[in-house]
Amino acid sequence: VRSADLLAPAVADDDATDALSWPWQTCAEFGYYQTCEVGTRCPFAQGYVTLADEISMCAEAFGLGADVVEDNVAFSNLAYGGDAPRGARILFPNGDVDPWSGLGVVDSPAPGEPTMMVRGASHHAWTHPADEISQPTVAAAKKHIQEQVMAWLAED
């Protein structure tokens, strides 16, 4: 099943903004695609979902061709620092079972930009309401994130 096929119902529904937000970001900003190209070390069905398939979703859903996606990703990398982001008061949480952690910042790029690796967690596990979190490592991560933000807010 191609990404564009999965998006078809959402594209037809004017109120499907939540369903389109991540696909829009991949096409208009980030270029993050889950592919398994033929001839790679990908352990899944190679050639079933290719970069060309993912880029076609950008064209079909948003009218953005491969050249526009490439330019958008280059702009985002320039603006935000690519794999070496620049900033201050940024906390980079990652989960050690997160398939996206390879794209995450795992080594602190600068003082004031800490990282954390959460054992047994995947991406954004710590963004759920506290009463929905049952995994102790995720609950501790959420508490640490809240404490760090509060510390930054208390600074002059």
Side-chain angles (χ1 to χ4, degrees), residues 30-103:
F30 303 133
Y32 292 166
Y33 302 103
Q34 296 176 2
T35 65
C36 192
E37 303 290 336
V38 174
T40 66
R41 294 176 45 174
C42 176
F44 305 108
Q46 294 185 9
Y48 185 66
V49 178
T50 66
L51 182 58
D53 294 330
E54 296 292 349
I55 295 294
S56 73
M57 176 264 305
C58 299
E60 291 176 38
F62 308 113
L64 303 176
D67 55 336
V68 174
V69 173
E70 184 177 349
D71 289 346
N72 290 348
V73 171
F75 176 81
S76 292
N77 284 336
L78 181 64
Y80 299 109
D83 61 0
R86 300 172 304 272
R89 297 180 178 173
I90 302 171
L91 173 62
F92 298 98
N94 288 282
D96 70 351
V97 295
D98 184 355
W100 291 105
S101 64
L103 295 171

Side-chain angles (χ1 to χ4, degrees), residues 63-156:
L64 303 176
D67 55 336
V68 174
V69 173
E70 184 177 349
D71 289 346
N72 290 348
V73 171
F75 176 81
S76 292
N77 284 336
L78 181 64
Y80 299 109
D83 61 0
R86 300 172 304 272
R89 297 180 178 173
I90 302 171
L91 173 62
F92 298 98
N94 288 282
D96 70 351
V97 295
D98 184 355
W100 291 105
S101 64
L103 295 171
V105 177
V106 295
D107 296 315
S108 178
E113 297 178 36
T115 62
M116 62 187 290
M117 185 62 70
V118 183
R119 199 176 106 256
S122 190
H123 59 288
H124 65 75
W126 38 83
T127 63
H128 301 287
D131 61 346
E132 294 178 11
I133 297 174
S134 60
Q135 185 177 341
T137 57
V138 174
K142 182 168 183 137
K143 182 177 184 213
H144 176 77
I145 292 167
Q146 290 171 335
E147 289 170 350
Q148 180 63 74
V149 170
M150 294 307 292
W152 282 330
L153 292 172
E155 292 177 0
D156 292 333

